[in-house]
Amino acid sequence: MNNSADFWHSVDFLSRQLCVEWQQSKRRETPKDAQCGQSGLFVSQRHDVLKKIEKVILKMTQSISEGDAPVFSYPNKSSWDSVRFENGIGIEPARDQKLSHVRFDSLQSVKKFGLMTRILSIIYNLIQQNKYCTKRDLYYQFPELLGSQTTLDNLVDNVACLLETPRWDLHVLATCKGSVAGDLQFYSDQGHFVDCSVSQTGVPVPAHMKDMQNMTTGARFVLIVEKDATFQRLLGDQFCHKFRPCIMVTGKGFPDLGTRLLLRALWDRFQLPMFILVDADPHGIEIMCVYKFGSKAQAAENRFLVVPNMKWLGILPTDLDGLNIHESVFIPFTKKDMDKASELIGRPYVLANPPIATQARISSLGFKFEHIYPDKLPIETLVKYMSLGHEVLGVVHFVLATTSCVVTNRSL
């Protein structure tokens, strides 16, 4: 398979096409955007973040000195009305954003005000000392006040909005759950060399780009896989060897910031074609859209995280009829699945992309198919249908070996 001239011709054709599009997009960038793109992420200078914190605290003390109750105000990210969408850019904050207000003189928000102030103090000290801590470490500094890890996570997000600073510049890191394998090498902040091609199970994706310095690769494409089970199955089938040189990444479900930062860095630095494989259900489609268009919660940061040129290879809901899969393999929707399907159809990036909208509507019909059910996946049925052999997971062969899909309407 990896010697197929047609396959590599299609991949290289797409790569050249994407490079042209990338160069055109760079010409439209502002100087600030260009600086962000060169590094693969937005890096605020440490002193800039410190000044922002000092400005917030100064404003708070001035309000107190004038006899007024201090207030923290930041964009409200809970509603889709607070964001807008544009193809090629992704989800970004709306021009007329609604604000959330956390007041010191309100019984409903005084505790939150105090917690945000405490977190600002910790972040200030971390940045001054150029140190980092995890969200988990931060939670255990005062767990009795926070009550839950989710409360702390939301507070850190609110502080990032208050400071108008990407979360990765606050020196508070979330544990990254993604893995990467294949032709990729980099150095950690401590100078450790990491070669992703030598691992049998994948290398953990670092939580911050400081630990992915001096990246090098000879890869010609990147495959993103929704689930770790599929990722491990493909590694066991020697996918990265048979389709070398390539890179394979999984976010193990809904992607975290570290995994999305890695993919955006690979795009910014190497303009590699990227293809994604997800389940044929609303949750799979949502995950694909987060990689490609961004999320509502990270509206202010999406332009440093999304890869709008990513291609959705499958499994497309429209593929299922042609695969002759026995009905026993399909899984009935739960209420959660139905709610997700209904909500997904109305999202701005779905409405703006008719091919994706078609797939989303078909995926909402009440049954889902997960491509890595080891005890149920009809590999023989798929292989017979595709006539592609047993050496690699049949579904991946279908979407990668059908070479015309790479540069035509087969990929979305």
Side-chain angles (χ1 to χ4, degrees), residues 68-368:
D68 298 325
V71 179
F72 292 150
S73 298
Y74 52 87
N76 185 335
K77 301 185 297 181
S78 63
S79 170
W80 283 100
D81 294 334
S82 64
V83 301
R84 60 176 181 167
F85 171 77
E86 182 177 342
N87 275 318
I89 297 177
I91 297 172
E92 59 182 359
R95 292 187 177 92
D96 53 344
Q97 297 182 78
K98 296 180 180 179
L99 297 179
S100 293
H101 304 285
V102 180
R103 302 184 61 86
F104 181 74
D105 61 351
S106 169
L107 290 176
Q108 286 73 32
S109 63
V110 63
K111 179 180 178 180
K112 184 174 182 179
F113 187 96
L115 289 171
M116 288 181 66
T117 304
R118 175 61 175 150
I119 291 171
L120 282 167
S121 173
I122 293 173
I123 290 173
Y124 189 85
N125 289 328
L126 287 171
I127 296 174
Q128 272 192 322
Q129 300 171 41
N130 197 25
K131 293 182 178 180
Y132 293 81
C133 78
T134 67
K135 286 184 176 180
R136 199 64 179 164
D137 293 334
L138 187 53
Y139 167 74
Y140 279 114
Q141 291 193 32
F142 42 101
E144 67 286 346
L145 292 176
L146 291 165
S148 70
Q149 182 70 51
T150 300
T151 299
L152 183 278
D153 295 345
N154 291 334
L155 287 169
V156 172
D157 289 347
N158 293 337
V159 167
C161 287
L162 176 67
L163 299 176
E164 297 181 334
T165 298
R167 284 185 291 169
W168 50 86
D169 281 340
L170 300 182
H171 286 226
V172 178
L173 307 177
T175 302
C176 189
K177 58 188 176 70
S179 295
V180 56
D183 190 343
L184 178 65
Q185 302 79 37
F186 54 83
Y187 286 87
S188 73
D189 187 45
Q190 303 300 317
H192 300 302
F193 178 70
V194 179
D195 185 352
C196 301
S197 66
V198 300
S199 174
Q200 299 298 311
T201 58
V203 172
V205 175
H208 196 282
M209 288 304 297
K210 69 183 180 66
D211 290 315
M212 288 183 275
Q213 299 179 22
N214 302 318
M215 288 196 299
T216 59
T217 182
R220 293 163 76 177
F221 72 93
V222 180
L223 177 67
I224 299 97
V225 183
E226 174 187 347
K227 292 183 175 178
D228 185 51
T230 311
F231 181 82
Q232 297 300 333
R233 175 77 173 270
L234 292 175
L235 285 179
D237 284 332
Q238 301 297 308
F239 177 86
C240 290
H241 175 75
K242 293 173 181 177
F243 285 93
R244 70 182 186 274
C246 70
I247 298 170
M248 187 163 61
V249 175
T250 179
K252 300 182 181 179
F254 199 89
D256 52 48
L257 280 178
T259 303
R260 295 173 64 194
L261 283 168
L262 168 62
L263 291 171
R264 180 57 190 245
L266 289 172
W267 167 247
D268 279 329
R269 298 177 191 186
F270 306 108
Q271 293 81 59
L272 295 174
M274 296 190 181
F275 311 111
I276 184 165
L277 183 69
V278 296
D279 287 340
D281 63 26
H283 294 280
I285 296 175
E286 180 184 39
I287 287 170
M288 179 276 297
C289 289
V290 168
Y291 281 114
K292 186 176 176 71
F293 304 126
S295 66
K296 178 181 62 176
Q298 277 82 53
E301 303 163 340
N302 282 329
R303 62 188 178 124
F304 314 116
L305 298 170
V306 301
V307 184
N309 292 308
M310 185 179 292
K311 304 296 182 181
W312 179 21
L313 292 180
I315 302 173
L316 305 183
T318 50
D319 291 337
L320 298 182
D321 286 342
L323 294 178
N324 299 323
I325 301 171
H326 193 273
E327 62 181 15
S328 64
V329 178
F330 290 91
I331 307 167
F333 269 15
T334 63
K335 184 180 184 303
K336 183 178 179 180
D337 293 324
M338 293 297 293
D339 292 341
K340 176 63 67 177
S342 177
E343 195 245 345
L344 183 66
I345 292 172
R347 291 190 181 177
Y349 48 69
V350 173
L351 295 174
N353 289 274
I356 294 178
T358 298
Q359 301 296 333
R361 283 193 294 271
I362 294 174
S363 77
S364 67
L365 297 181
F367 292 89
K368 60 183 177 178

